[in-house]
Amino acid sequence: FSSKNKEIPRYAKYSGENLDEFVRKHNLSISQLEKFNKKKLYGFTFMDSYQKKQKQKSLIGSDLIIGHNSESKDKIQNRVSYEIQKPRIENIIGDAHFELQKPKIFSADSQNKNFEVFQQLESMERRILNKIDDLSSDRESSQKILSLQKDIESMKERINQSNNEKERIKIEHDNVQSELLKTKKEKQQVELEYSRHTEKVIFLDFLEPYARVTSEYFAIAKSGYQRALELYEKISDTDSKNSIIVAQLILKFQLNIPLKTGNWEEILFEIKENKATSNSDLIRSFKQIPNNEEKLKEFKRILFKDVFERYASCLMILVEELSRLSKFTNSSSAIIQEIEQYYLKFSLELKNKTKAIGLDLNYVPLFENYEKYAAFTKLANQNCSLPYKGIQHMEKDTVLEIISYGFGNEETKVILA
């Protein structure tokens, strides 16, 4: 051992093992290693486990100071002989635990016989002195230690609180996830039930306004037809001959209207009241159409084709015939005039309702010159029906009978006198 007092640092290569193993290997404590290497290990004691791992990773391959060679052999022996009398020093701070052996282990004879034992003694002595110098030399250091210990306890408490809060949040998160899973399953079940339901019923909110208009049309149409039956009963009591003509006209209307009229009237009422329908044909048609605007167009197309064009034509023909009934009867009795006046007025209302449902009627009146309406009229090469056979004194090219009314681009078919 040199007798010089100049401190010479001793280094050891850090290869990446845990620092606790490193300091045990070199007979040090963590706090000593931190003191010797302040720039590299500043604040290491107060780091959390993750920060410590990152710091240790950054130190791999570094040379760390593990002590100093600064005192003579005689001085070391004198200090040991004094310090060795202390029974025990342990748990001064952190993970430092020290215990002195009995004096007999370090006798002069043993030192002379086994230099290795003396080296261990020297290392222990140095550790004791460093601890005493660091922590017990004055009151201020002790106070700092107590303050640090309090800070550590406070930090541990905050860490525990944080961990408890994390656990609480985790439990809440798990509960939320469980509820979400439950809700998802319920949603899937509802969607499945809805899918099954839509195979039998389809909701048609967007059709409700149009269904309301068409229902109003049917209401007007039915009122005109019902009034015709009432007037037939009335004329039958006073004029049996002319009542037969009225009956023929009504019967012609009944025979020509579409068979699906009643069914469509029910469908429109269902949509108007419930905004839905159970009609399988409509359900199949709408499944192929992506948006409501196109569905409305398709609905009108089917409705016009199946019922409205033909029904509206038949009704308009009946109204036209009853509004000019005197031409069929060659009579101007009070009951005949009553019927004509009623249906002249009714004709105007019916035309408005026909237009409201989307039908553009190509109107041609009975018993007027064909030339005025030739642009949208087509001549039918056939004989007139039974009620028209008794009509007399008709001018040439007068519209004798209307076979069917046209709508839009479709022409109205007529028979000329």
Side-chain angles (χ1 to χ4, degrees), residues 5-135:
N5 293 326
K6 182 178 179 180
E7 293 187 346
I8 301 172
R10 291 188 295 112
Y11 294 90
K13 182 76 69 176
Y14 177 62
S15 58
E17 69 272 29
N18 192 293
L19 278 180
D20 290 333
E21 297 177 6
F22 181 83
V23 296
R24 282 197 296 271
K25 178 179 176 182
H26 296 286
N27 296 318
L28 296 171
S29 68
I30 290 293
S31 59
Q32 279 184 298
L33 186 67
E34 185 177 351
K35 178 182 177 183
F36 291 155
N37 300 270
K38 291 181 179 179
K39 290 184 178 180
K40 294 180 178 180
L41 288 170
Y42 180 76
F44 182 83
T45 305
F46 302 103
M47 293 180 184
D48 59 30
S49 59
Y50 174 77
Q51 291 172 326
K52 286 181 178 180
K53 287 180 181 179
Q54 294 299 315
K55 174 60 72 176
Q56 290 174 162
K57 186 176 180 181
S58 69
L59 292 173
I60 295 175
S62 300
D63 291 326
L64 299 179
I65 299 174
I66 60 172
H68 300 84
N69 292 330
S70 60
E71 296 179 309
S72 66
K73 180 178 178 180
D74 293 339
K75 185 176 181 180
I76 292 172
Q77 287 176 328
N78 291 336
R79 188 174 294 179
V80 169
S81 62
Y82 167 76
E83 294 296 336
I84 205 69
Q85 302 304 319
K86 296 181 180 180
R88 184 171 183 171
I89 299 176
E90 62 178 355
N91 293 328
I92 295 177
I93 187 172
D95 61 343
H97 298 278
F98 308 103
E99 182 173 350
L100 299 178
Q101 304 297 323
K102 296 180 180 180
K104 66 179 182 178
I105 295 177
F106 305 105
S107 64
D109 292 339
S110 297
Q111 294 177 38
N112 292 331
K113 292 179 181 179
N114 194 338
F115 185 72
E116 182 181 353
V117 173
F118 183 78
Q119 284 183 317
Q120 293 177 355
L121 175 64
E122 180 189 36
S123 176
M124 181 177 293
E125 184 268 350
R126 186 168 59 252
R127 290 166 62 191
I128 293 171
L129 291 179
N130 285 336
K131 282 294 179 183
I132 292 173
D133 290 342
D134 288 347
L135 305 176

Side-chain angles (χ1 to χ4, degrees), residues 192-339:
L192 179 61
E193 291 297 324
Y194 177 79
S195 177
R196 291 173 180 170
H197 184 69
T198 52
E199 293 178 0
K200 299 179 180 179
V201 176
I202 185 170
F203 294 97
L204 302 169
D205 295 18
F206 64 95
L207 282 183
E208 187 272 337
Y210 185 70
R212 189 171 298 279
V213 172
T214 53
S215 294
E216 290 174 0
Y217 173 85
F218 269 125
I220 292 295
K222 288 173 69 176
S223 69
Y225 173 68
Q226 185 63 36
R227 182 59 178 164
L229 295 177
E230 292 171 359
L231 291 171
Y232 167 71
E233 293 292 335
K234 186 174 182 180
I235 197 173
S236 296
D237 295 336
T238 58
D239 190 349
S240 59
K241 179 182 177 181
N242 290 328
S243 69
I244 294 173
I245 295 175
V246 174
Q248 289 174 341
L249 296 174
I250 293 174
L251 180 61
K252 183 163 69 77
F253 165 77
Q254 293 174 336
L255 293 175
N256 288 329
I257 62 173
L259 295 175
K260 294 182 179 181
T261 302
N263 183 43
W264 270 106
E265 189 176 359
E266 292 177 1
I267 292 171
L268 291 168
F269 179 80
E270 183 182 39
I271 295 173
K272 184 190 74 169
E273 295 297 319
N274 305 319
K275 300 179 182 180
T277 183
S278 58
N279 184 270
S280 57
D281 292 333
L282 279 180
I283 293 173
R284 280 195 299 271
S285 296
F286 286 162
K287 276 188 175 181
Q288 311 302 321
I289 302 174
N291 59 70
N292 292 343
E293 184 178 351
E294 293 299 320
K295 287 178 180 178
L296 178 58
K297 289 181 180 179
E298 178 65 11
F299 181 73
K300 288 182 178 180
R301 187 192 69 78
I302 297 172
L303 187 60
F304 292 168
K305 179 182 177 182
D306 277 7
V307 63
F308 265 150
E309 288 183 353
R310 189 173 169 189
Y311 181 84
S313 173
C314 291
L315 182 61
M316 195 68 217
I317 291 171
L318 175 63
V319 171
E320 190 69 16
E321 291 168 340
L322 294 177
S323 68
R324 301 171 191 271
L325 185 59
S326 59
K327 287 285 186 179
F328 293 89
T329 62
N330 292 316
S331 170
S332 299
S333 63
I335 185 63
I336 297 296
Q337 291 182 17
E338 180 184 351
I339 293 173

